[in-house]
């Protein structure tokens, strides 16, 4: 009896955290929208020293409402799925993906302002695809299969497409997620 109550409480905590992420990104989007996208100059600008701040700040900014809406739902879904590995793993992986993706985009990306949560989303995608199988846990393997089935088409986003899409963030995020899976596939206690 206590075990199921603990699990329900854990699920509530996970949903609360996902809701907090949703509210944070949404609040930043509203501020950015109301200021005429003035925050976007804080994005990741490759090989430009002041652009280094965009490694951390860029994932929280979006270029349009369409950009925001295309990112917020998968970000929340993948965050919830990642929380099945534990809060510690979720935090480790999020910091890892933001830093590695941002640094690689800063070093190798096209000269542009790279913004948006899609690099983080692709990192989560890469992790969720691989980590379930490496974990050896049935529940996590099912998550990997479901992510592959429902979101497998994301893989096409790692290739150059539209000029205003940071495929570099997608590619480097995906690579960072796969590397994170190799490093930390086992769920944290």
């Amino acid at each position: 009896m206590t075990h199921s109550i603990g699990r329900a409480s854990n699920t509530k905590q996970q949903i609360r955290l996902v809701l907090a992420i949703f509210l944070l990104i949404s609040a930043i989007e509203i501020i950015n929208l109301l200021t005429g996208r003035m925050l976007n100059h804080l994005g990741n600008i490759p090989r430009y020293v002041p652009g280094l701040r965009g490694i951390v700040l860029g994932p929280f900014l979006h270029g349009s409402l369409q950009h925001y809406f295309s990112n917020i739902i998968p970000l929340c879904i993948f965050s919830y799925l990642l929380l099945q590995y534990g809060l510690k793993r979720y935090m480790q992986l999020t910091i890892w993906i933001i830093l590695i993706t941002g640094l690689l985009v800063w070093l190798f990306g096209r000269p542009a302002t790279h913004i948006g949560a899609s690099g983080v989303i692709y990192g989560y995608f890469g992790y969720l695809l691989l980590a379930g199988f490496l974990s050896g846990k049935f529940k996590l393997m099912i998550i990997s299969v479901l992510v592959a089935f429902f979101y497998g088409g994301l893989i096409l986003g790692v290739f150059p497409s539209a000029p205003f899409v940071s495929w570099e963030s997608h590619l480097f995020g995906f690579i960072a997620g796969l590397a994170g899976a190799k490093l930390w596939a086992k769920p944290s206690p």
Side-chain angles (χ1 to χ4, degrees):
M1 185 85 163
T2 355
H3 184 17
S4 63
I5 291 171
R7 189 177 309 157
S9 169
N10 195 29
T11 301
K12 283 182 184 175
Q13 289 173 339
Q14 292 168 348
I15 291 170
R16 275 195 211 111
L17 180 60
V18 171
L19 182 60
I21 292 163
F22 173 82
L23 292 173
L24 173 67
I25 300 287
S26 298
I28 292 168
E29 174 59 20
I30 290 166
I31 292 166
N32 204 14
L33 180 66
L34 295 176
T35 60
R37 303 274 169 210
M38 297 229 358
L39 297 178
N40 287 354
H41 78 282
L42 300 172
N44 188 342
I45 305 167
R47 294 164 305 284
Y48 174 62
V49 174
L52 280 167
R53 65 185 169 214
I55 290 172
V56 173
L57 300 176
F60 297 94
L61 305 169
H62 292 90
S64 68
L65 280 174
Q66 179 185 357
H67 187 205
Y68 160 79
F69 284 119
S70 69
N71 279 339
I72 195 67
I73 302 301
L75 181 67
C76 289
I77 291 170
F78 287 173
S79 290
Y80 179 76
L81 293 174
L82 266 171
L83 284 165
Q84 305 317 300
Y85 288 83
L87 179 59
K88 180 182 173 189
R89 180 72 66 246
Y90 175 79
M91 297 306 290
Q92 280 177 321
L93 188 68
T94 300
I95 292 166
W96 166 264
I97 289 169
I98 287 173
L99 294 178
I100 297 299
T101 302
L103 185 60
L104 290 173
V105 168
W106 192 84
L107 288 170
F108 303 111
R110 289 170 292 164
T113 302
H114 297 260
I115 55 173
S118 58
V120 175
I121 292 165
Y122 271 81
Y124 289 173
F125 173 63
Y127 183 88
L128 289 167
L129 279 179
L130 183 58
F133 297 107
L134 296 178
S135 75
K137 297 200 176 288
F138 182 74
K139 172 186 169 183
L140 301 177
M141 285 187 229
I142 293 298
I143 290 173
S144 289
V145 169
L146 290 173
V147 166
F149 180 78
F150 287 106
Y151 287 97
L154 281 179
I155 197 70
L156 298 175
V158 303
F159 300 107
S161 57
F164 294 104
V165 173
S166 178
W167 63 270
E168 299 95 328
S169 293
H170 299 175
L171 175 63
F172 295 134
F174 185 67
I175 290 168
L178 293 175
K182 288 292 282 178
L183 288 170
W184 304 301
K186 300 287 185 209
S188 63

